[in-house]
Amino acid sequence: MYLTLWRNRGLLAALIKREVIGRYRGSFMGILWSFFNPVFMLAVYTFVFSVVFKARWSGGSDSKTEFALILFAGMIIFNLFSECINRAPGQILSNVNYVKKVVFPLEILPIVALGAALFHFIISLAVWLIFYVMFFGMPNPTVLLLPLILMPLVLFTLGVSWLLASLGVYLRDVGQIVGVITTALLFLSPIFYPISALPEQYQMILHINPLTPVIEQSRLALVWGSVPDISLWFQYLIGSAGIAWLGFAWFQKTRKGFADVL
């Protein structure tokens, strides 16, 4: 699984670059949209939740900007996951030529999607940091821990993407099911509210959600300046590595039938 990254590193870099640039090809502003989209979304979140709903984060101040940044910190983590997962079921179906006409390492397609999602994540994070500096000054040094915090999520996302990319070839309904599940996860993750806002009997639902640990730990590092729980992070890392390995093994086992089905 890890050798796939090393052996195809040049091809991966070229495909990720093509993926990012191709998304904005033909538009007047081009790749600048990757910057203005998160700026626009941050403005929308600030207005809707702070002005319309007058929402405040439990344990925070009454600042509308602070609430928007807290919400946006969780949202960019979720977007990284959902962008990959929603695309996974159709990745093989949309690249039939790679299956039938050329010898191509199909297992790198989910990695390419993840690379493009990480690019957009970095742009969104830069927007978050700019607004944080403008309104609250320099961020906490714990921001530097974010790459480590994201590592388990990256492995988990890859594992699920490999699984869904394979299932999407054999079961065409997978894409529709995934869309429903990611929408449900959006509201069952501590993005718009803290876990403590739920009654105790319902908090277990959020703890079962695999996105909850990374969203909570990322928010601690970005907003509150706290060091995440190392033991929880390590457990999440081991579990995510196992899921990534299982997803990769499943993909490699089932890819032999892709050409026949397509």
Side-chain angles (χ1 to χ4, degrees):
M1 182 177 70
Y2 296 106
L3 284 176
T4 296
L5 288 168
W6 178 252
R7 290 170 178 166
N8 299 289
R9 59 191 183 279
L11 180 60
L12 277 170
L15 289 177
I16 291 171
K17 181 180 178 181
R18 190 188 72 169
E19 177 76 19
V20 172
I21 295 176
R23 182 174 302 191
Y24 304 102
R25 184 178 291 118
S27 62
F28 177 73
M29 295 177 62
I31 202 169
L32 285 176
W33 279 115
S34 64
F35 176 81
F36 286 109
N37 279 335
V39 170
F40 175 73
M41 292 308 299
L42 181 55
V44 170
Y45 292 150
T46 303
F47 176 76
V48 172
F49 289 95
S50 299
V51 178
V52 178
F53 293 133
K54 301 186 185 303
R56 296 293 182 270
W57 196 266
S58 176
S61 67
D62 290 333
S63 170
K64 297 176 182 178
T65 306
E66 181 188 66
F67 179 83
L69 288 173
I70 292 172
L71 188 153
F72 194 62
M75 199 67 195
I76 60 178
I77 301 294
F78 177 82
N79 286 343
L80 171 62
F81 172 79
S82 65
E83 181 176 343
C84 298
I85 298 305
N86 284 326
R87 293 184 56 193
Q91 281 179 328
I92 306 300
L93 298 176
S94 59
N95 292 283
V96 176
N97 289 338
Y98 290 164
V99 179
K100 291 187 173 183
K101 296 184 178 180
V102 295
V103 178
F104 185 85
L106 296 173
E107 65 273 12
I108 72 171
L109 291 176
I111 306 176
V112 172
L114 177 63
L118 283 171
F119 171 81
H120 292 107
F121 171 83
I122 292 171
I123 299 299
S124 297
L125 180 61
V127 171
W128 188 94
L129 290 171
I130 290 171
F131 276 82
Y132 189 94
V133 170
M134 287 173 56
F135 291 97
F136 301 104
M138 291 300 295
N140 298 293
T142 49
V143 169
L144 299 176
L145 296 174
L146 192 60
L148 285 176
I149 296 172
L150 288 178
M151 192 181 301
L153 178 65
V154 168
L155 290 172
F156 176 78
T157 303
L158 269 181
V160 177
S161 295
W162 274 316
L163 174 64
L164 293 176
S166 171
L167 289 177
V169 177
Y170 300 100
L171 303 171
R172 303 301 171 91
D173 293 334
V174 170
Q176 305 299 324
I177 296 171
V178 168
V180 174
I181 292 175
T182 51
T183 301
L185 283 176
L186 174 63
F187 295 100
L188 293 175
S189 301
I191 298 174
F192 305 105
Y193 51 86
I195 296 179
S196 58
L198 289 178
E200 189 172 347
Q201 63 267 30
Y202 296 115
Q203 291 182 14
M204 183 58 67
I205 298 175
L206 264 70
H207 286 298
I208 295 174
N209 183 348
L211 297 180
T212 296
V214 69
I215 291 174
E216 287 284 285
Q217 291 186 343
S218 298
R219 189 176 281 135
L220 283 173
L222 288 172
V223 181
W224 310 120
S226 300
V227 177
D229 186 336
I230 300 300
S231 62
L232 177 62
W233 175 85
F234 188 73
Q235 293 172 23
Y236 191 29
L237 178 65
I238 296 299
S240 298
I243 291 172
W245 182 84
L246 288 172
F248 182 80
W250 171 270
F251 185 90
Q252 296 293 71
K253 185 71 174 177
T254 57
R255 64 182 295 173
K256 300 173 184 178
F258 287 174
D260 295 332
V261 176
L262 295 174

